[in-house]
Amino acid sequence: LEDLNISAFDADGQFIGLEESLRLVKDRTKDMTDEQRAQYISMIAGKEHLKSFQGLLAGLDDEYVDLKGSVSDANGALDEMATTMQD
């Protein structure tokens, strides 16, 4: 992460979150060759988790944004479902 000038913590030492950390990695590796990107991801996530980490980075596209919006807009849906089930 240091080589990519990325920190998972803000100036106050607070974790910036998984999504933001992944977005930083994706942004800093976007212009690299596949080989370079795989090397950095292996250093960050370990060789055993290379494919999983690549999957997380690939998942940060428009579909993710749409899904996140849908989940956020579902406020109260669980309570409504519980009420329906209790009836």
Side-chain angles (χ1 to χ4, degrees), residues 14-48:
Q14 299 297 314
F15 180 54
I16 61 173
L18 181 60
E19 180 183 349
E20 183 61 25
S21 298
L22 289 172
R23 288 191 185 281
L24 287 171
V25 171
K26 186 173 184 174
D27 181 62
R28 301 285 163 72
T29 60
K30 69 181 176 193
D31 295 326
M32 294 181 177
T33 65
D34 290 343
E35 183 179 4
Q36 290 170 320
R37 188 177 308 105
Q39 179 183 356
Y40 275 101
I41 292 171
S42 290
M43 291 189 311
I44 294 168
K47 292 186 183 204
E48 305 84 35

Side-chain angles (χ1 to χ4, degrees), residues 1 3-4 7 13 19 22 25-26 30 51 56 59 63:
L1 292 174
D3 286 351
L4 297 172
S7 177
E19 180 183 349
L22 289 172
V25 171
K26 186 173 184 174
K30 69 181 176 193
K51 289 189 186 275
L56 288 170
E63 289 180 19

Side-chain angles (χ1 to χ4, degrees), residues 43-86:
M43 291 189 311
I44 294 168
K47 292 186 183 204
E48 305 84 35
H49 302 290
L50 173 66
K51 289 189 186 275
S52 298
F53 198 86
Q54 287 174 323
L56 288 170
L57 293 177
L60 291 173
D61 57 11
D62 292 337
E63 289 180 19
Y64 171 77
V65 173
D66 292 344
L67 176 61
K68 184 177 177 183
S70 295
V71 170
S72 294
D73 292 342
N75 189 21
L78 186 58
D79 289 334
E80 184 179 324
M81 183 185 298
T83 301
T84 300
M85 290 178 70
Q86 289 173 354

